[in-house]
Amino acid sequence: MQSLRKKRIATKNNFNPCFMQLLKNNAITILLLLSVIGTNAQSFTPHPDNPILPLSFVNPGTWNDPCVIKQGDTYWMYASSKNGVDIFDGEVVPYLLTSSDGISWTLYDSTSLLSTSTDTAAWDYSAIETPSVVFFEGEYHLYYTAIAKSGIFAIGHATSFDGINWNKEDIILTPTNIFDDWMSYLVGEPGAVVYHDKLYLYFTGVGNRFDAPAPAGKSVIGLIISDDGFNFGTPQQVLEQGLMYPPAENFYGYSTPFPIVLNDTLHLFFDVAQEDPEWLQVAIHHAYSADGINDFIQDEAAIFHKNDFDWTQREIRAPAVLADEGQLKMWFCGDDIFATAKWGIGYAWSNDFAVNNTEFITEPITIFPNPANDYLTIKSNEQWDNFTLTDLTGKIILRYHFQGEKSIPLMGLPSGIYIAHFMQNNKITKTEKISIIH
């Protein structure tokens, strides 16, 4: 999150009064849920010039909360920054930056993508943070942390046909305010991914802690699922802190999840929070699940810890991951703002990311831009027997055979949603929705 001091459940002493009262009344049986621990920590190489996107004392420049996608040969980063005259002034709002290599970034526009509300009762009156962008059902969806005047978080939503011009939609998730619920106090830090033709939206949920006397609060990863990007099902808790982060050492839990699908396995990258005594994000970790819901297996150690780098001595947080060019690329945030005035977004990569000896590489085909206008470009390192573009009724509009790169003209096609089909050995092995806008 962008704020220099996190707003979480305050712990004024070493004991959770809710937990102690339950013990006294013998009202429930407390069960310590032990998360499954699996693979070794993944190996990522940090860039030697980190942070690659450092602090600028002229805003926007307090960069945080990256989400990186690739549009053709260009990387797009959605990131948060304050919009005032200096690092302590203004509201936190999302911006767009672009890059040809994922390392050197240029601000697309000094105007933010979204603005906070002028309504003091609105959920997004104080800030719009942690943008997560995904293309789904013919348009871009941006999910964000909305921060109210009271400091309470909710999850907001905006849509766009080009990924640049955005329209706010309804708030999609708010805290329950139910005493013993896992998302009673806060929901935020969304991470979106398309998985099995649905939109999976992971998020941070904060409620009271009942599995230990301290810390008082507990931060877990939740999930809501949608068929259309607008309407979501019932929230479910899917991941909580594992054995390597015990409450007895003041670990608060997990936050800021970033999902990615590799070989049909759902991977989560997230940060680890500790309240000792200040609430801070202290490590970046990884877990994976065969279905994205059940039985997440956590790595045995962190990918990075805040003490690994001189510029992250206070916090390390908010990972964003992209499978690209045969690598798994990661952008992450950190700071040592009060001691050395260091703050920014770093970069790291892995050439051998693997789980249970199964390596994960970039998909062999890239389609861009999407939405498309006059041309659709396809890059592939495989031979495809057939590429067809159909309308939503299944009527074949275009058909090609190719290997390598192909630029397909679209000028004669009406605007709308189409389906790209790729066939090998007379079987459809990949489909993707294409939006054409003239």
Side-chain angles (χ1 to χ4, degrees):
M1 305 295 286
Q2 177 69 39
S3 53
L4 297 182
R5 296 183 64 88
K6 293 281 188 160
K7 295 181 179 178
R8 286 294 192 271
I9 300 173
T11 306
K12 296 183 179 180
N13 52 52
N14 293 327
F15 297 98
N16 182 342
C18 303
F19 178 87
M20 298 305 293
Q21 188 61 47
L22 288 169
L23 284 178
K24 290 178 181 179
N25 295 342
N26 196 26
I28 63 172
T29 300
I30 308 274
L31 297 178
L32 180 60
L33 301 177
L34 304 179
S35 298
V36 177
I37 302 175
T39 56
N40 294 327
Q42 302 298 334
S43 175
F44 280 81
T45 302
H47 195 277
D49 296 328
N50 278 339
I52 57 167
L53 197 56
L55 175 70
S56 168
F57 285 89
V58 178
N59 279 318
T62 48
W63 297 116
N64 207 6
D65 310 321
C67 173
V68 179
I69 63 175
K70 200 171 185 184
Q71 303 280 57
D73 293 327
T74 303
Y75 297 88
W76 287 21
M77 178 189 288
Y78 297 88
S80 304
S81 174
K82 286 203 169 188
N83 62 0
V85 295
D86 58 45
I87 63 173
F88 299 104
D89 180 60
E91 295 83 32
V92 179
V93 285
Y95 292 87
L96 174 63
L97 303 97
T98 60
S99 171
S100 62
D101 60 7
I103 298 170
S104 300
W105 293 89
T106 300
L107 183 64
Y108 180 83
D109 193 322
S110 59
T111 301
S112 63
L113 300 175
L114 294 170
S115 300
T116 54
S117 175
T118 57
D119 181 359
T120 58
W123 278 102
D124 58 359
Y125 173 77
S126 293
I128 296 175
E129 304 186 359
T130 65
S132 177
V133 175
V134 66
F135 187 78
F136 182 61
E137 295 293 319
E139 60 186 332
Y140 292 90
H141 296 260
L142 187 157
Y143 301 94
Y144 60 87
T145 302
I147 302 185
K149 185 177 181 180
S150 64
I152 300 299
F153 302 169
I155 296 177
H157 179 210
T159 55
S160 170
F161 286 109
D162 60 8
I164 299 170
N165 301 288
W166 294 90
N167 296 308
K168 284 185 183 178
E169 307 289 349
D170 293 337
I171 295 291
I172 62 170
L173 191 64
T174 61
T176 63
N177 293 317
I178 299 173
F179 170 77
D180 58 353
D181 190 63
W182 59 274
M183 48 178 278
S184 173
Y185 292 102
L186 299 175
V187 293
E189 301 169 334
V193 69
V194 178
Y195 188 43
H196 295 163
D197 297 321
K198 298 180 183 293
L199 196 149
Y200 280 49
L201 188 66
Y202 296 88
F203 63 94
T204 304
V206 178
N208 283 311
R209 180 177 295 277
F210 298 106
D211 57 9
K218 183 177 181 179
S219 179
V220 302
I221 304 302
L223 170 66
I224 48 178
I225 301 174
S226 174
D227 291 321
D228 60 10
F230 294 86
N231 303 289
F232 287 84
T234 302
Q236 50 191 317
Q237 179 182 329
V238 296
L239 182 64
E240 66 176 7
Q241 64 200 92
L243 293 174
M244 70 289 289
Y245 302 116
E249 296 179 16
N250 296 310
F251 284 103
Y252 199 94
Y254 297 157
S255 67
T256 328
F258 191 96
I260 184 172
V261 177
L262 302 170
N263 291 10
D264 204 43
T265 298
L266 195 292
H267 296 256
L268 280 180
F269 293 81
F270 49 91
D271 52 48
V272 180
Q274 190 174 25
E275 190 175 75
D276 192 24
E278 183 183 5
W279 193 99
L280 295 171
Q281 291 142 307
V282 299
I284 291 174
H285 211 91
H286 164 259
Y288 68 97
S289 165
D291 64 4
I293 302 172
N294 301 293
D295 302 323
F296 269 93
I297 298 176
Q298 305 183 38
D299 289 352
E300 294 177 354
I303 297 172
F304 292 132
H305 189 273
K306 72 183 184 72
N307 294 333
D308 291 342
F309 313 111
D310 62 355
W311 63 281
T312 62
Q313 289 293 298
R314 193 185 79 97
E315 273 198 318
I316 190 167
R317 57 188 180 270
V321 178
L322 178 69
D324 177 56
E325 299 175 338
Q327 295 179 321
L328 204 58
K329 301 179 178 181
M330 178 193 293
W331 294 263
F332 60 97
C333 304
D335 76 86
D336 190 34
I337 189 68
F338 298 118
T340 62
K342 293 178 179 179
W343 175 292
I345 294 177
Y347 171 71
W349 67 93
S350 175
N351 293 320
D352 56 359
F353 183 84
V355 170
N356 291 342
N357 298 317
T358 300
E359 293 188 356
F360 297 92
I361 60 174
T362 308
E363 286 195 40
I365 189 163
T366 304
I367 306 170
F368 64 93
N370 193 3
N373 187 348
D374 292 336
Y375 289 91
L376 181 70
T377 299
I378 302 173
K379 289 184 178 181
S380 175
N381 57 15
E382 294 187 2
Q383 176 70 50
W384 297 92
D385 298 336
N386 206 334
F387 162 78
T388 58
L389 189 71
T390 69
D391 61 19
L392 294 181
T393 69
K395 178 182 178 181
I396 296 177
I397 308 299
L398 299 170
R399 189 194 301 265
Y400 289 92
H401 301 267
F402 74 95
Q403 181 179 18
E405 181 173 338
K406 181 73 175 179
S407 184
I408 299 173
L410 304 173
M411 286 82 77
L413 299 183
S415 298
I417 304 298
Y418 296 81
I419 308 296
H421 305 267
F422 297 86
M423 297 186 67
Q424 287 179 324
N425 300 321
N426 295 319
K427 294 181 179 180
I428 295 176
T429 58
K430 179 179 176 64
T431 61
E432 185 161 334
K433 289 185 180 179
I434 307 295
S435 178
I436 298 177
I437 301 175
H438 295 300

